[in-house]
Structure formats: structure tokens, C-alpha cells
Amino acid sequence: MSAVDEPHTTDYRKLSEAAATAIYTWDARTASYSEVYSRLRDWWVVLPDASNPLSVLVQEFEATGVNAGTYASLTALHARRSAKAQSVLCDGELAKVREHPAPWTGLHVCTVTLGVVDQSDSDHNGYVAPVSVMVNCPPATTAPDDHCVLVAFYATPGRIVY
């Protein structure tokens, strides 16, 4: 699996870019659906008020076009997906965030536009996909003292933050 390692950083842009890339990166030749899902689950930190439940993770990951059923079919096709960030816009660079700022200091919203390539033994398809990523960073009381953490992402078209 071409897994993207979660960076241990206070740079919310770097974490957002890495998270978006990880969301769209998998290889059915070397990893099961459970392994791909577990890798993303390890990044997601549920907030103390549970406002970002794991059900949102499942829903938004499936919005990328992959679920357990389709992944089984993709495994038979030796399918894989890779992604590379083309742009990263965060916080005040996003009109919706300017209109409705984050509810606490340290919560950041970035929309990452990815160049995505889906491949199999018989097909190759490239396209662009936006992903909105929310990260919680110091000085937020719900963030670790020394790094930012992923608390949500949105791949559903209607939930992308522009």
C-alpha cells in the first residue's frame, strides 16, 4: 500500500495536504479494505464532545467512491489510486470560512485540490478531486500540546468548503 504517513506537526497546511492525499491513496494489490480504512481511522481524532463521530469518517470516505463492496471488485482488477496535491487553501482563503470563522482558536479548515489517478490492469483514469480537511492544533484545549490532529474531512461535493 502506498500509505501516506501522518506528519507529527503544528503546520496545519502540511497535515491537511497529507491527510487529503492519504484519503485518496490506496492499493488493492497490497492492502485490504480494512487496512485502508484502519489507516485513515488512526488519523481521525474524535473530539471530546463527539461532534465528529466515526460515522462521518465512513460516510466521507465512501464519498471518494470506495466502500467494502466496491473494494472487493477493485482487488480482483488489481486496482490502485494515487493522489497529489495541486493546491491548498486554508482558513481566510476560503470564502465560507471568512463568512463563518472556526468556532475556536486552533481549529483550521483547508480545502485541498488533488490530482487523482485510478489505475487497474486494464484502465487508467485521471481527474481532479477537492477534499476539505479540518485539523485541530495548539492552542486549542482539545488539541495535543505539540502537534495538530485530523478531526474531520469532507469529500461529499455538497460539503466541500470553498
Side-chain angles (χ1 to χ4, degrees), residues 18-33:
T21 302
I23 292 160
Y24 271 89
T25 300
W26 49 262
D27 190 334
R29 299 170 304 176
T30 60
S32 68
Y33 179 80

Side-chain angles (χ1 to χ4, degrees), residues 58-73:
V58 172
Q59 173 186 319
E60 294 303 321
F61 183 56
E62 289 182 353
T64 69
V66 179
N67 61 39
T70 60
Y71 198 87
S73 298

Side-chain angles (χ1 to χ4, degrees), residues 18-154:
T21 302
I23 292 160
Y24 271 89
T25 300
W26 49 262
D27 190 334
R29 299 170 304 176
T30 60
S32 68
Y33 179 80
S34 294
E35 290 167 328
V36 172
Y37 174 81
S38 290
R39 175 176 47 88
L40 288 177
R41 167 58 191 99
D42 288 346
W43 286 49
W44 187 284
V45 174
V46 177
L47 292 167
D49 68 356
S51 60
N52 63 333
L54 291 175
S55 59
V56 173
L57 166 65
V58 172
Q59 173 186 319
E60 294 303 321
F61 183 56
E62 289 182 353
T64 69
V66 179
N67 61 39
T70 60
Y71 198 87
S73 298
L74 294 167
T75 299
L77 298 172
H78 302 117
R80 57 231 176 249
R81 178 182 283 168
S82 60
K84 184 175 181 173
Q86 295 180 339
S87 70
V88 181
L89 298 173
C90 299
D91 298 336
E93 298 168 322
L94 300 165
K96 284 185 182 180
V97 176
R98 284 193 308 270
E99 293 170 12
H100 304 285
W104 65 82
T105 301
L107 180 66
H108 299 278
V109 179
C110 296
T111 296
V112 182
T113 302
L114 299 166
V116 181
V117 177
D118 286 344
Q119 299 178 70
S120 68
D121 289 343
S122 62
D123 197 20
H124 182 276
N125 182 34
Y127 55 95
V128 174
V131 180
S132 292
V133 179
M134 297 171 71
V135 297
N136 204 26
C137 301
T141 58
T142 54
D145 292 335
D146 63 344
H147 66 282
C148 299
V149 293
L150 174 68
V151 294
F153 69 83
Y154 300 113

